[in-house]
């Protein structure tokens, strides 16, 4: 059985992430969407690990061969533990490339059995990131074109600011 892992912070999951997960699910027998917990970045996330996991679970509920997990360990070890053969990542722009290239070389060193596979982002999601979604939602903007419909309300209510009284 060919298992792939799609790692990320998913803070929150966007339609760009979902596109990559759907495409990976067509190529692999099983896809694990992995919320990577980085203790150094714990305070920089807007959603808790549990909230992120729950939003991903809702989003991928209809895709039969996709499951969701979290890990605070090394990705290379996680792959070994699950018998996974690939790390699937999305590349949006040249700016993603240098970091991802470095990570894929490091992971190859740590787990020579696993390959990193890059999918080019869909043209319509090229510009989309979790931070853009958070920024728009925090100003009360419309995020319906950027996030799965089943979690839009949850993101909006968590991130929208209470309107401030105008200053006199
Ligand atoms: P972000 O970079 O938005 O914080 P993550 O760290 O959760 O997102 O990213 C997880 C993976 O999903 C990475 O491989 C990233 O390149 C990919 N990804 C994120 N947004 C998109 C998108 N809009 N299109 C394609 N891939 C994406």
């Amino acid at each position: 059985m060919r298992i792939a892992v799609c790692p990320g912070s998913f803070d929150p999951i966007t339609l760009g992430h979902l596109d990559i997960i759907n495409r990976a699910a067509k190529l692999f027998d099983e896809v694990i969407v992995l919320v990577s917990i980085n203790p150094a970045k714990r305070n920089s996330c807007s959603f808790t690990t549990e909230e992120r996991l729950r939003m991903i679970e809702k989003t991928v509920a209809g895709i039969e061969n996709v499951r969701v997990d979290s890990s605070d360990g090394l990705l290379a070890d996680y792959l070994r533990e699950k018998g996974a053969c690939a790390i699937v990542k999305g590349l949006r722009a040249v700016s993603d490339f240098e970091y991802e290239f470095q990570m894929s070389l490091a992971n190859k060193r740590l787990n020579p059995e696993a390959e990193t596979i890059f999918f080019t982002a869909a043209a319509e999601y090229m510009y989309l990131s979790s931070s853009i979604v958070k920024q728009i939602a925090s100003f009360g903007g419309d995020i319906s074109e950027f996030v799965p419909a089943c979690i839009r309300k949850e993101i909006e209510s968590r991130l929208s600011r209470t309107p401030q009284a105008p200053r006199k």
Side-chain angles (χ1 to χ4, degrees):
M1 181 148 103
R2 302 219 156 255
I3 304 174
V5 175
C6 288
S9 38
F10 303 100
D11 186 47
I13 186 168
T14 69
L15 290 177
H17 291 127
L18 180 58
D19 178 60
I20 300 293
I21 295 164
N22 266 317
R23 287 158 67 189
K26 286 183 191 152
L27 287 185
F28 291 90
D29 298 310
E30 185 174 311
V31 172
I32 304 174
V33 182
L34 186 71
V35 175
S36 312
I37 305 165
N38 182 346
K41 284 192 182 168
R42 185 157 287 162
N43 293 329
S44 66
C45 281
S46 302
F47 295 91
T48 65
T49 306
E50 290 67 33
E51 286 172 326
R52 287 179 275 150
L53 283 168
R54 195 163 26 81
M55 285 193 280
I56 302 170
E57 269 158 11
K58 264 185 167 180
T59 300
V60 302
I63 322 173
E64 206 188 311
N65 57 337
V66 175
R67 56 196 181 89
V68 186
D69 198 3
S70 64
S71 164
D72 59 3
L74 270 179
L75 182 58
D77 292 340
Y78 182 89
L79 270 104
R80 209 175 276 117
E81 192 187 301
K82 299 291 171 187
C85 60
I87 300 165
V88 171
K89 305 229 69 184
L91 277 185
R92 281 162 291 191
V94 183
S95 51
D96 279 347
F97 183 79
E98 200 170 336
Y99 173 74
E100 295 294 356
F101 190 67
Q102 222 177 359
M103 288 299 293
S104 83
L105 290 175
N107 282 321
K108 189 76 189 164
R109 204 56 188 250
L110 294 169
N111 182 346
E113 301 299 310
E115 294 295 338
T116 301
I117 296 176
F118 294 108
F119 286 173
T120 43
E124 64 268 43
Y125 301 133
M126 229 31 211
Y127 62 91
L128 186 53
S129 68
S130 299
S131 11
I132 295 231
V133 166
K134 288 189 275 188
Q135 211 168 339
I136 297 172
S138 72
F139 287 104
D142 181 5
I143 54 167
S144 56
E145 281 182 44
F146 311 137
V147 299
C150 59
I151 59 167
R152 177 173 66 87
K153 284 254 154 54
E154 176 169 354
I155 298 171
E156 283 174 350
S157 58
R158 266 293 252 96
L159 299 176
S160 64
R161 294 178 181 160
T162 326
Q164 305 277 308
R167 291 172 90 164
K168 297 203 172 136

